[in-house]
Amino acid sequence: MKKLFLSGLGIFLIFGILGTILWFTVNNKYEKQETYEKIYKNNQVEQVIVNGQNTNVEVKKGKYLSIKYNGNQDVNASIENNLLHFTERENKYKFNANFIPFRKTINHLVITLPPKNYESFNITTNTGNISVRDAKSNNSNMITDTGDIVYQNVNLKHAKAMTDLGSVKVKHSDLTEFTGEIKTGNISVDKSSLVNSEMITSLGNINISQLKNECDIKSSTEDGDISISYMNPPKNTLLQLQSESGNTKIENKAFNGEKVGKGKHVIESYTDNGDIYIK
């Protein structure tokens, strides 16, 4: 009986080791990274559209408009009528190694933009992070199913950031008519201006630190805390705070009750299960 058990265990270990080797061999063979790079020195691009699959997308400032992609999908980039359109699509004729555990392949797209105000800027990716730095646009949408969205030193109007599972982070930026919406995750804003903006998360916290004056915000979470602090003493601001099963604490001494000055700018915050802090 003991010999039978040892024989079975030996066979199990041998096939387990062979299977693991096969997985990693197939993974290395079919997950080969491809590089696509293009520089547009003479361009009149006013709009940018990116349709990704499972890719981290990074946007940054540079002298020339350029695209650099490292990944394992088929890609296409074109400029027509002042519109840059980048598309990443899965090649259905390739072997799909998605079932292989411990996949190490991460697709990465970097877009470099000359500094100017763009008419529109839209990025979508199924899974991946989106990072936008030093950009200006009159209309923008950043959408990912699973991933983080980061804005740093941007000036955006009519902007939207959406993720089902991830976070939205805003640093040193000016946003007008901005909507940040998450199903599960946190929203954080640091040293920024938010005008006529809205932030929503179903499960997560909203943390706005060192907010600039003359901001109008609606923030809500079903399960989480909301914290707002000001860079300078607030002026002409009215607070509308509601916590169904938590506390509301106004610690900023500039407020007389829920108001300072004439209350021209309105800060609305709502949470079903959590606390609200004004610092």
Side-chain angles (χ1 to χ4, degrees), residues 92-137:
K92 63 183 180 180
Y93 297 106
K94 281 186 178 180
F95 176 83
N96 188 347
N98 289 340
F99 70 92
I100 298 176
F102 316 114
R103 289 184 67 196
K104 60 183 179 182
T105 299
I106 298 176
N107 302 331
H108 191 199
L109 171 65
V110 178
I111 299 177
T112 303
L113 295 176
K116 69 175 184 178
N117 191 46
Y118 291 86
E119 182 180 332
S120 65
F121 202 110
N122 300 305
I123 298 175
T124 60
T125 181
N126 293 339
T127 301
N129 301 323
I130 300 174
S131 173
V132 183
R133 292 181 292 162
D134 305 307
K136 294 182 179 180
S137 177

Side-chain angles (χ1 to χ4, degrees), residues 13-28:
L13 291 174
I14 291 171
F15 277 97
I17 294 171
L18 290 175
T20 301
I21 294 172
L22 177 62
W23 279 335
F24 283 103
T25 301
V26 173
N27 187 49
N28 290 332

Side-chain angles (χ1 to χ4, degrees), residues 48-50 56-62 65-68 84 108-114 116 118 121-124 129-137 141-142 150-154 156:
V48 178
I49 296 178
V50 175
N56 292 333
V57 182
E58 179 185 354
V59 179
K60 62 181 182 178
K61 181 174 65 175
L65 172 66
S66 68
I67 297 172
K68 185 175 181 180
L84 168 64
H108 191 199
L109 171 65
V110 178
I111 299 177
T112 303
L113 295 176
K116 69 175 184 178
Y118 291 86
F121 202 110
N122 300 305
I123 298 175
T124 60
N129 301 323
I130 300 174
S131 173
V132 183
R133 292 181 292 162
D134 305 307
K136 294 182 179 180
S137 177
N141 295 290
M142 309 296 157
V150 177
Y151 296 101
Q152 186 165 352
N153 195 32
V154 301
L156 303 177

Side-chain angles (χ1 to χ4, degrees), residues 225-229 247-249 251 275-279:
D225 298 331
I226 300 174
S227 177
I228 302 174
S229 68
N247 299 314
T248 59
K249 299 180 180 180
E251 300 174 358
D275 299 324
I276 301 175
Y277 303 91
I278 305 297
K279 303 176 181 180

Side-chain angles (χ1 to χ4, degrees), residues 192-249:
S192 298
S193 173
L194 299 171
V195 178
N196 297 330
S197 297
E198 186 174 12
M199 284 159 287
I200 303 169
T201 177
S202 297
L203 178 61
N205 300 320
I206 299 174
N207 183 27
I208 303 171
S209 62
Q210 300 194 58
L211 179 67
K212 296 180 180 179
N213 265 313
E214 300 182 348
C215 292
D216 303 87
I217 303 171
K218 293 181 180 180
S219 58
S220 68
T221 175
E222 293 181 14
D223 194 343
D225 298 331
I226 300 174
S227 177
I228 302 174
S229 68
Y230 282 87
M231 180 181 297
N232 298 305
K235 300 177 181 179
N236 297 323
T237 301
L238 174 65
L239 301 176
Q240 296 180 350
L241 313 176
Q242 182 176 341
S243 176
E244 294 292 339
S245 59
N247 299 314
T248 59
K249 299 180 180 180

Side-chain angles (χ1 to χ4, degrees), residues 137-195:
S137 177
N138 293 329
N139 192 301
S140 69
N141 295 290
M142 309 296 157
I143 301 173
T144 177
D145 290 342
T146 303
D148 300 327
I149 301 174
V150 177
Y151 296 101
Q152 186 165 352
N153 195 32
V154 301
N155 190 327
L156 303 177
K157 299 177 181 179
H158 309 289
K160 181 177 290 187
M162 300 179 65
T163 177
D164 289 341
L165 179 62
S167 66
V168 173
K169 298 178 182 179
V170 181
K171 299 179 180 179
H172 303 282
S173 298
D174 294 317
L175 303 179
T176 301
E177 297 187 23
F178 168 74
T179 300
E181 188 171 348
I182 305 176
K183 289 185 179 180
T184 302
N186 299 323
I187 299 175
S188 63
V189 180
D190 183 42
K191 297 179 182 178
S192 298
S193 173
L194 299 171
V195 178

